[in-house]
Amino acid sequence: MGRRKRRVIKVFKRKLPKILACPRCGNISLIVERVSDDLVNIKCGTCHLLYSYPASKEKEYIDTYNEFIDKINSGEIKI
Ligand SMILES: [Zn+2]
């Protein structure tokens, strides 16, 4: 039994990608664009998907995106 040297693993905060995967065409060309304090536009540059989605301004765009994807998967949103 001895003291184990613990390796220090530095966690770098990676910047989240601004461009996301499109649930319709699968290309990495989807952006979440804030249009007002409680609304974002989810837009794809490839298949021209455009969806207005309610999201408070405190919400990270990545959370909004994840929520959006969940709703598509559950059938709540049809695109
Ligand atoms: Zn698309």
Side-chain angles (χ1 to χ4, degrees):
M1 279 253 255
R3 287 196 341 237
R4 273 234 179 123
K5 242 190 184 174
R6 271 227 264 161
R7 258 219 273 171
V8 180
I9 300 162
K10 273 195 176 166
V11 179
F12 290 102
K13 251 198 173 173
R14 271 202 295 164
K15 258 194 168 177
L16 291 163
K18 281 257 189 278
I19 304 167
L20 304 156
C22 173
R24 187 158 77 179
C25 67
N27 284 292
I28 312 295
S29 54
L30 192 92
I31 57 159
V32 179
E33 183 184 68
R34 180 152 298 282
V35 286
S36 73
D37 283 356
D38 53 8
L39 194 73
V40 294
N41 273 345
I42 295 173
K43 294 201 288 195
C44 174
T46 303
C47 67
H48 303 294
L49 165 78
L50 175 63
Y51 199 92
S52 293
Y53 189 81
S56 71
K57 68 170 189 241
E58 286 81 28
K59 208 168 197 170
E60 292 282 342
Y61 76 92
I62 194 77
D63 294 331
T64 307
Y65 170 77
N66 287 332
E67 210 180 279
F68 178 68
I69 298 297
D70 281 350
K71 290 203 173 176
I72 290 165
N73 290 336
S74 69
E76 212 175 308
I77 291 175
K78 297 255 187 283
I79 52 163

